[in-house]
Amino acid sequence: MLSGVAMLVSIAAFAQEIEVNIKDPYAMVESVANKTFARFHQDIDTIKANPDHLKVIVSDELMPYIDYKYASYKVMGTYLRQSTPEQRDRFSEAFKSYLVATYAQAFTEYTNQRVEFEPAKSFADEKMVDVNVQIIEQGRPPIKLQFRVRRLKDDTWKAFDLVAEGVSLLSSKSAEISNLIRQNGIDSVIEDLENHTSSHISLGKKDAKL
C-alpha cells in the first residue's frame, strides 16, 4: 500500500502526465476533468486550510478550456450591442471571475465520487457538441451533467456552458443578468459580479471529511 507521501507524489505525477487533446471535445472534457480532480487530491491539505485555494485550482486546470468571453457575450444577450468595447471587456473579465468562484464553490460538493463519461461520438461535421457526464455516489441517484463545447476557428474546442440536471448555468444566468441590466445598467451589473467573486469559498459540514 502506498504511504501518504507516495500517494501524493503519484497523484501529482498522474496530473502532469495527462495531456489534453483540444482537437477532440470528448477527450478534452475527460482529460480536463481528470487533471482537475487529480489536482484536487494533490492539494487537499491546502484546501482544508484555505478553501479559496479551490479558485486557484479552477483557474489553473479548468479555465484555460472554458470560452468565457463567448459565454459572457451570450449572457449579455441583446444588451451586447448597446455596450461599449470597454464595458464588454470589463464584463467578460468579471464573468470569468464569477465562473471561477462558481465552479470553485461547486467543488466543495466533491468527496471522491466516481465520474463516468459517455463514449465519444462522431463530431467531424459538428460545430457544437454536448458531452454527458454522470457523478456516481453510492446510495444516491447519479448526478447528470452536460458540458456544452464549441468548435473554434482554429479547429480546437472549448466548453462554454454547464448543464446540471437539465438546468443550464448560462441560460439561468442570462435571464437574471438581462433583468438586472434593464433595471440598473451594465456598469452596476459588472460591479455586482466583481463583488460576488471577492467572496470567500465556504466548506460545509460534508467537506469536513475531505
Side-chain angles (χ1 to χ4, degrees):
M1 181 178 290
L2 289 173
S3 68
V5 173
M7 186 174 294
L8 284 177
V9 171
S10 298
I11 290 171
F14 174 69
Q16 291 174 354
E17 289 174 1
I18 299 174
E19 292 186 5
V20 178
N21 182 3
I22 57 177
K23 293 294 185 74
D24 182 329
Y26 294 93
M28 184 196 74
V29 169
E30 184 169 354
S31 298
V32 170
N34 286 334
K35 279 176 67 70
T36 305
F37 288 130
R39 176 74 180 277
F40 179 93
H41 286 293
Q42 178 187 333
D43 294 1
I44 193 64
D45 289 337
T46 304
I47 295 169
K48 288 179 181 178
N50 176 22
D52 283 344
H53 184 67
L54 284 166
K55 291 183 181 180
V56 176
I57 295 176
V58 170
S59 295
D60 290 349
E61 309 296 348
L62 194 61
M63 291 310 294
Y65 308 98
I66 303 293
D67 193 349
Y68 69 89
K69 182 170 287 190
Y70 176 81
S72 69
Y73 286 178
K74 292 284 285 184
V75 164
M76 290 178 73
T78 57
Y79 294 100
L80 179 64
R81 294 183 179 181
Q82 301 175 23
S83 62
T84 66
E86 181 184 3
Q87 286 175 323
R88 288 194 288 274
D89 288 343
R90 284 186 61 210
F91 185 90
S92 292
E93 288 303 313
F95 192 70
K96 176 184 179 182
S97 297
Y98 166 82
L99 289 176
V100 169
T102 299
Y103 289 136
Q105 188 62 54
F107 261 97
T108 64
E109 298 296 321
Y110 176 69
T111 52
N112 206 26
Q113 294 96 331
R114 184 161 52 91
V115 183
E116 290 186 353
F117 301 88
E118 75 165 329
K121 301 175 184 177
S122 175
F123 57 89
D125 300 321
E126 303 294 337
K127 293 183 178 179
M128 291 191 182
V129 167
D130 294 334
V131 180
N132 294 309
V133 178
Q134 287 196 116
I135 309 297
I136 310 297
E137 184 172 0
Q138 189 172 3
R140 295 188 177 186
I143 299 173
K144 296 180 180 180
L145 303 178
Q146 187 179 77
F147 290 90
R148 305 208 66 203
V149 191
R150 65 186 291 260
R151 190 194 297 267
L152 306 184
K153 291 181 179 179
D154 62 357
D155 208 34
T156 62
W157 294 78
K158 279 191 173 184
F160 66 93
D161 191 16
L162 174 63
V163 181
E165 295 294 337
V167 179
S168 161
L169 172 65
L170 208 59
S171 295
S172 59
K173 201 63 188 175
S174 179
E176 176 188 345
I177 284 181
S178 293
N179 186 47
L180 289 173
I181 292 177
R182 182 173 63 253
Q183 293 178 355
N184 305 320
I186 189 169
D187 290 324
S188 175
V189 172
I190 292 171
E191 291 179 6
D192 287 343
L193 287 172
E194 291 171 342
N195 290 335
H196 172 81
T197 59
S198 65
S199 60
H200 295 291
I201 302 301
S202 59
L203 297 180
K205 293 179 180 179
K206 179 178 180 180
D207 304 295
K209 299 178 182 179
L210 289 177

